[in-house]
Amino acid sequence: MKEMLSTEPRVSGDLALLNESTIPPGVRGHSGPTPHTGIVHIGLGNFHRAHLSVYTAKAIDADGGDWGIFASSSMDRDMPAALVAQDLLYSVVDIAPGTQAITVPAVHTAALGCDADSADVVAEIAKAGTKIVTLTVTEAGYTFSPSTNGLNLDSPLVQGDLAGATSPATAIGQVTRGLQARALTHGAPVTVLSCDNLVDNGDHTAHLVRHFVELLPADERGPLLAYIDSSVTFPNSMVDRIVLATDNRHRAMAAKRLGVRDAIPVPAEPFTMWVLQDNFAAGRPRWEVGGAIFTDDVAPYDLLKLRLLNGTHSLLAYLGALDGQATIPDARFQGFIEHAARTLLNDEYLPTLTVPAAIDADEYIEQLFSRWSNSVLADPTSRVGSLGSVKLPQRITEPVQHHIAHGVMPENICLTVAGFLACIAPLDGYEPGPFARAMLDPAKDRLATLAAKCSTAKELTWAVFEQGDVFAPVLAEQPGFVDRVAQYLDLIITSGIRTAAAEAARASSHH
């Protein structure tokens, strides 16, 4: 019998490790040494390393400036440690047919892992040299309650931070305590910039910081609010780039392109987009050099991305996983899923927003399908379907209300939600498959407990909308909406996702 060979690419151990002495010529994102810290970043993950870091490297290359990034992660120990071992260098590998592009941003001044003391992050925010504090902590990292849109006061982490923990556990706690230290010392202005997929993310961050401050003792509250009002800005922004978790396939790609070994390359699609309000209290890098768009009104770009890209991405993930498709391209090329996605985009999401004047809607949609067809990147359905309990509410709430108010049931939004429930909270006896099982979600245990108490799709759907603390209460008040989601969930369970999608296609064609 022949020996079974692993299909996982291997990186040669003979190659030198990427660091300052081995970095190949022509790949550094800017010339010269790493600048001093000007940005403190909370949420050191792959998206940050392929987005903010790349734009910042291009800005430094064009203009110089002390815009080095002091970055921390509350979720990961190994990647920050590997980053330190490589002199804070790593590569961004563009992955798509026909490209061999690779770059080493070289902008970080520190990389703290989850084993570090968050007091160090607070101290860095407090320094006068820090001009911008940025965040990519995912929607869940803001520790807010969807029902109140304020801080989740039931969270022990939030409670500890409010009680005066010297090492705040939450991102909002770290930012607020850092601002407090600035207010009590030099009082220099600073900008707090969210780079997460949240509607009006700057306004949302400002609201949560103020909520935190309002819960502090009166003698702390007044001076800090005065400082925030006079010296802190919270611009809104929209970020867009598909970035994957790193595996050995990506390490092999990086080694081939670099000629040295990078333990922590970032795999990303070539496409990247960033739209920001130009509202910075203490200056900023010239990110427009790398293609960033500055505008007084980010909201139209925000909704365009959150609904057309993110909302449809969720449908592709849930329908694809339930159909046994491992990746987004696999799902997108199933005819019934493409039909559902195009109907969702054109008939259910597009009518609920105003497309920015600089964007051609038809071109944008075709560009989305091209991005979703990137079989070299092979974005897993399990990744895109993760965290749906945090992502879906902001993507569907207003569109559902819009259509119900006009007497139309948004069939494919209903199908998306039903797919989410089938993947994350399957009823006893229903098997959603390995790709659905691999999806991660903070509400998974809570919803599974509800599912265990229910015997029908209708029971489960109503339980989730009334007791699951996932969706805004207003959705349960929309006539027929929850019942329609339940009907699709029942079809998925009894007849399969293809039958459910066919019913959505039939129902949509009659609107």
Side-chain angles (χ1 to χ4, degrees):
M1 175 181 278
K2 290 185 178 180
E3 181 183 354
M4 294 292 287
L5 296 177
S6 170
T7 58
E8 193 73 21
R10 296 181 181 274
V11 179
S12 171
D14 297 333
L15 293 179
L17 186 68
L18 174 66
N19 56 39
E20 281 290 358
S21 65
T22 63
I23 182 172
V27 298
R28 185 185 283 271
H30 64 90
S31 58
T34 302
H36 296 298
T37 298
I39 300 172
V40 173
H41 182 78
I42 300 173
L44 173 56
N46 276 15
F47 182 79
H48 158 72
R49 294 196 292 139
H51 199 266
L52 172 67
S53 299
V54 173
Y55 281 92
T56 301
K58 290 178 179 178
I60 294 170
D61 193 45
D63 286 347
D66 283 329
W67 297 112
I69 302 174
F70 178 108
S72 71
S73 171
S74 63
M75 304 293 290
D76 192 355
R77 177 185 296 106
D78 296 338
M79 187 270 286
L83 193 51
V84 170
Q86 295 183 178
D87 296 335
L88 300 173
L89 300 178
Y90 66 91
S91 60
V92 178
V93 186
D94 284 11
I95 300 180
T99 182
Q100 290 290 313
I102 192 163
T103 186
V104 177
V107 293
H108 288 92
T109 60
L112 306 187
C114 59
D115 52 347
D117 189 341
S118 64
D120 293 340
V121 179
V122 174
E124 199 68 27
I125 294 172
K127 291 181 179 178
T130 296
K131 310 296 186 185
I132 304 173
V133 179
T134 55
L135 301 96
T136 51
V137 293
T138 76
E139 294 93 330
Y142 289 80
T143 53
F144 72 100
S145 167
S147 58
T148 67
N149 219 36
L151 286 172
N152 178 10
L153 299 180
D154 293 329
S155 165
L157 299 180
V158 172
Q159 293 169 5
D161 289 358
L162 286 168
T166 55
S167 299
T170 69
I172 296 299
Q174 291 169 24
V175 170
T176 309
R177 294 300 184 182
L179 296 179
Q180 186 174 37
R182 295 177 74 94
L184 294 172
T185 51
H186 49 77
V190 70
T191 294
V192 178
L193 175 63
S194 169
C195 300
D196 279 299
N197 286 322
L198 290 159
V199 177
D200 297 327
N201 55 10
D203 297 338
H204 185 65
T205 305
H207 173 70
L208 294 174
V209 167
R210 288 177 181 277
H211 190 193
F212 191 105
V213 176
E214 288 162 2
L215 295 168
L216 295 176
D219 60 331
E220 298 181 44
R221 186 189 318 139
L224 183 48
L225 280 176
Y227 169 69
I228 291 172
D229 288 341
S230 66
S231 304
V232 185
T233 56
F234 297 84
N236 290 312
S237 73
M238 184 279 277
V239 297
D240 189 5
R241 192 176 195 185
I242 296 172
V243 178
L244 303 191
T246 305
D247 64 25
N248 282 345
R249 180 172 72 107
H250 308 128
R251 294 183 181 94
M253 287 180 177
K256 182 177 179 182
R257 297 182 195 184
L258 287 173
V260 296
R261 179 166 53 91
D262 181 0
I264 47 170
V266 184
E269 65 172 343
F271 177 92
T272 182
M273 189 175 186
W274 197 12
V275 183
L276 308 92
Q277 277 183 310
D278 202 352
N279 182 23
F280 288 77
R284 62 167 177 83
R286 198 152 62 91
W287 285 316
E288 56 267 46
V289 170
I293 298 168
F294 286 90
T295 176
D296 292 334
D297 190 8
V298 174
Y301 291 91
D302 223 355
L303 291 180
L304 185 79
K305 191 237 177 176
L306 282 168
R307 294 179 188 170
L308 300 196
L309 169 61
N310 297 134
T312 310
H313 223 184
S314 293
L315 177 140
L316 291 171
Y318 298 127
L319 271 61
L322 294 169
D323 194 52
Q325 308 300 331
T327 71
I328 293 297
D330 291 337
R332 171 258 185 274
F333 285 117
Q334 303 305 309
F336 82 98
I337 296 179
E338 175 165 354
H339 184 275
R342 289 192 180 275
T343 305
L344 178 66
L345 275 169
N346 289 296
D347 298 349
E348 297 182 23
Y349 281 138
L350 198 54
T352 71
L353 54 85
T354 300
V355 178
I359 301 291
D360 180 287
D362 291 338
E363 288 181 8
Y364 182 81
I365 290 172
E366 288 314 305
Q367 186 180 50
L368 290 179
F369 278 95
S370 175
R371 294 169 66 190
W372 293 328
S373 303
N374 188 341
S375 56
V376 183
L377 188 67
D379 197 1
T381 50
S382 59
R383 184 197 75 84
V384 178
S386 291
L387 306 179
S389 67
V390 185
K391 296 174 179 176
L392 281 178
Q394 60 174 324
R395 298 173 185 177
I396 71 166
T397 302
E398 290 183 6
V400 169
Q401 292 176 273
H402 170 93
H403 288 295
I404 297 292
H406 288 82
V408 175
M409 185 61 64
E411 305 290 346
N412 288 282
I413 292 179
C414 295
L415 181 64
T416 302
V417 177
F420 160 71
L421 295 178
C423 288
I424 302 299
L427 282 170
D428 187 42
Y430 174 69
E431 176 49 57
F435 307 120
R437 293 284 186 190
M439 293 176 184
L440 306 176
D441 200 291
K444 202 166 192 175
D445 290 344
R446 185 168 74 248
L447 298 186
T449 300
L450 288 178
K453 299 175 182 177
C454 299
S455 57
T456 68
K458 186 171 184 177
E459 277 185 80
L460 172 58
T461 306
W462 275 104
V464 169
F465 275 88
E466 292 182 335
Q467 307 165 44
D469 194 29
V470 171
F471 297 102
V474 69
L475 285 178
E477 300 167 3
Q478 302 304 303
F481 174 69
V482 176
D483 283 338
R484 191 58 172 155
V485 172
Q487 289 167 6
Y488 282 118
L489 179 58
D490 185 63
L491 275 175
I492 292 170
I493 292 169
T494 59
S495 304
I497 189 61
R498 292 186 176 234
T499 299
E503 168 57 21
R506 184 202 64 77
S508 297
S509 68
H510 288 277
H511 289 162

